[in-house]
Amino acid sequence: IASVYFCERAEVILNQRDPGSIVIDEIVAVPLCFAGWVSSLYFSSGEMPGWQHFFNTQNAALTAGVVLLFRVFDIAKPWPVGPSQSLPKGWGVTIDDLLAALYVNIVAGLVAWIA
């Protein structure tokens, strides 16, 4: 909700649609890119993983891959990411990133399932 509010205010103040200088929408969405991974670790061990798990030598490349995959979906804007940008006020700015994070979870889940 804060992202929606601040993105709306930024669009008004800067007189731009989804200004690139505003990144709160990415700040909200990037942690959600890890929701599937964190959930699978939690349900397999019964404990939430610490941040160290994602930055150790074994998982750092996967962590970077998740973030890069988010950027790919955020830039490419496959359906419905692109059309969601037309939502009113700050909703379009925020929802498109949340949908990109959803795509990341779907792809990461498929990759984990295949592997």
Side-chain angles (χ1 to χ4, degrees):
I1 298 299
S3 174
V4 172
Y5 173 78
F6 288 120
C7 289
E8 177 186 357
R9 295 297 308 140
E11 286 184 324
V12 170
I13 292 167
L14 299 173
N15 196 30
Q16 288 182 326
R17 183 77 175 124
D18 197 359
S21 59
I22 304 305
V23 296
I24 190 170
D25 49 332
E26 281 87 3
I27 291 169
V28 168
V30 168
L32 293 177
C33 294
F34 293 88
W37 190 1
V38 169
S39 296
S40 68
L41 291 169
Y42 175 76
F43 288 118
S44 67
S45 71
E47 296 180 359
M48 289 294 287
W51 65 269
Q52 306 89 338
H53 176 83
F54 301 97
F55 296 101
N56 65 29
T57 55
Q58 182 181 2
N59 293 324
L62 292 172
T63 299
V66 166
V67 174
L68 289 174
L69 192 58
F70 169 74
R71 290 302 300 148
V72 167
F73 286 125
D74 189 31
I75 292 167
K77 302 202 182 305
W79 185 91
V81 177
S84 72
Q85 288 187 299
S86 64
L87 291 170
K89 303 186 178 185
W91 287 104
V93 180
T94 301
I95 295 295
D96 80 311
D97 287 347
L98 296 178
L99 289 171
L102 177 64
Y103 272 120
V104 170
N105 279 282
I106 291 169
V107 170
L110 289 171
V111 169
W113 182 65
I114 291 170

